[in-house]
Amino acid sequence: MKVNYHFHSRCSFDAEHPLTELCAVAQKAGLRYLCLTDHCDLVDEFGVDDDTWDWAAIDRELSEARARYPDLEICRGVELGEALMRPEPAKKVLSEPGIDFVLGSMHHTVRREDFYHLRYTDAGKCERILEEYLYCLLAMSRTDDLDSLAHLTYPMRYIRYRDGVKVDIRRFDDLIREILKNLAERGKALELNTSGYRQGMGGPMPDEYILKMYRELGGELITIGTDAHVPEHMASDLDRGEALLEACGFRYVTLYRNRKPIQMRLEDVK
């Protein structure tokens, strides 16, 4: 797979490497189509409003990397987090001209801390958190604050696979189906995030059955990314993600230019 549409440079609060270092590894691994998606979390990991996003910093990273690696196509994207909580600041971020791709995400629900910071022990409480999260995604799926929905099963990384609480997200399949149906009908993409493989989840985010559900609902737009925060993860498990997409019935992977989808056959980006 030559595509990575989700990774982070030093412009993200939780990463420290310049884009040039990420691109060096990407090029060596045979990647060709990249999109920088640094975090723009309008509410930070502790539930506090954050207005520090700076397109100028992103453009400096892109300018240097494009000059040094002219054979790579590096698009100008953003992982826009918690836009649902602060629609006016979201509108301001997205009013910037020249955005190629918006990856929409939720890392916590209203005024809570990031799911990463919570500790999970009670299954009932975990189910309530999951339900609240999925209702947030449902609301997001009705907006234009995203081109692709990021890591749909993100809380499960910590609930089930870190803290070992045996909660089955399938009990919310009706809600998940409604989210996916909105995406499919509104021409929004779903992300296959390969970080789940290396995070001990046994597969990507979302799960295989959710990818199949999206396809069965008519979803055709799918983006793929490693969610890398360090150079060594730039190409992690992209080949496994590609194989899974084919097994789920997808024949294309989606790239973006000026927030418009471009479908490329999987066989052409191998």
Side-chain angles (χ1 to χ4, degrees):
M1 174 63 71
K2 297 178 181 178
V3 178
N4 187 351
Y5 257 55
H6 188 171
F7 62 92
H8 300 274
S9 78
R10 59 187 171 185
C11 292
S12 290
F13 75 94
D14 55 356
E16 59 184 27
H17 293 274
L19 179 55
T20 51
E21 291 184 12
L22 300 166
C23 288
V25 173
Q27 186 173 71
K28 187 174 182 179
L31 273 64
R32 171 69 188 282
Y33 306 99
L34 306 178
C35 189
L36 178 63
T37 54
D38 275 310
H39 285 295
C40 174
D41 290 323
L42 298 173
V43 180
D44 73 13
E45 59 184 320
F46 302 109
V48 178
D49 290 355
D50 188 341
D51 295 305
T52 59
W53 177 254
D54 182 9
W55 279 113
I58 297 296
D59 289 338
R60 287 191 293 271
E61 294 291 318
L62 288 169
S63 179
E64 184 175 355
R66 286 167 173 169
R68 191 174 299 185
Y69 298 99
D71 293 336
L72 298 179
E73 293 190 20
I74 315 169
C75 285
R76 186 177 185 245
V78 59
E79 181 178 356
L80 185 61
E82 290 67 58
L84 193 67
M85 301 178 195
R86 302 187 66 208
E88 288 307 313
K91 187 183 299 184
K92 181 179 179 181
V93 170
L94 298 182
S95 68
E96 170 79 9
I99 302 172
D100 287 310
F101 176 60
V102 180
L103 185 62
S105 65
M106 294 288 294
H107 298 100
H108 53 83
T109 54
V110 179
R111 299 308 176 190
R112 294 182 185 269
E113 291 184 327
D114 191 304
F115 296 114
Y116 167 81
H117 291 298
L118 303 180
R119 289 298 177 266
Y120 307 95
T121 56
D122 179 80
K125 183 177 180 180
C126 290
E127 288 175 354
R128 289 192 293 274
I129 289 171
L130 268 178
E131 185 175 33
E132 185 179 359
Y133 167 72
L134 290 169
Y135 270 112
C136 286
L137 295 191
L138 179 60
M140 277 182 59
S141 72
R142 296 170 175 149
T143 75
D144 289 320
D145 294 336
L146 74 165
D147 298 317
S148 182
L149 179 62
H151 45 56
L152 188 150
T153 51
Y154 174 70
M156 295 297 286
R157 177 191 293 178
Y158 307 113
I159 292 173
R160 186 174 181 90
Y161 297 99
R162 185 192 67 192
D163 291 353
V165 181
K166 295 182 179 180
V167 171
D168 189 352
I169 200 169
R170 288 177 183 262
R171 69 168 295 163
F172 301 107
D173 275 0
D174 287 346
L175 187 48
I176 291 170
R177 186 173 290 106
E178 193 172 352
I179 294 166
L180 300 178
K181 186 171 181 287
N182 282 345
L183 296 177
E185 290 180 348
R186 301 187 66 247
K188 303 296 183 181
L190 178 67
E191 181 195 45
L192 187 159
N193 185 306
T194 66
S195 69
Y197 288 109
R198 66 177 186 269
Q199 296 282 353
M201 297 179 71
M205 294 183 285
D207 303 77
E208 179 178 351
Y209 90 92
I210 294 176
L211 294 168
K212 288 181 176 178
M213 186 189 299
Y214 174 65
R215 187 70 192 92
E216 290 164 1
L217 290 166
E220 296 185 353
L221 302 181
I222 193 109
T223 62
I224 187 167
T226 66
D227 207 346
H229 290 68
V230 293
E232 53 264 37
H233 292 158
M234 278 297 288
S236 293
D237 298 298
L238 288 173
D239 54 343
R240 297 172 76 177
E242 172 200 325
L244 181 56
L245 287 179
E246 291 181 331
C248 291
F250 292 96
R251 296 294 173 262
Y252 299 88
V253 66
T254 310
L255 311 182
Y256 282 81
R257 301 290 184 276
N258 295 313
R259 301 198 64 187
K260 302 297 182 184
I262 300 170
Q263 292 287 72
M264 295 191 68
R265 295 182 63 86
L266 280 167
E267 61 190 44
D268 294 334
V269 292
K270 288 182 178 179

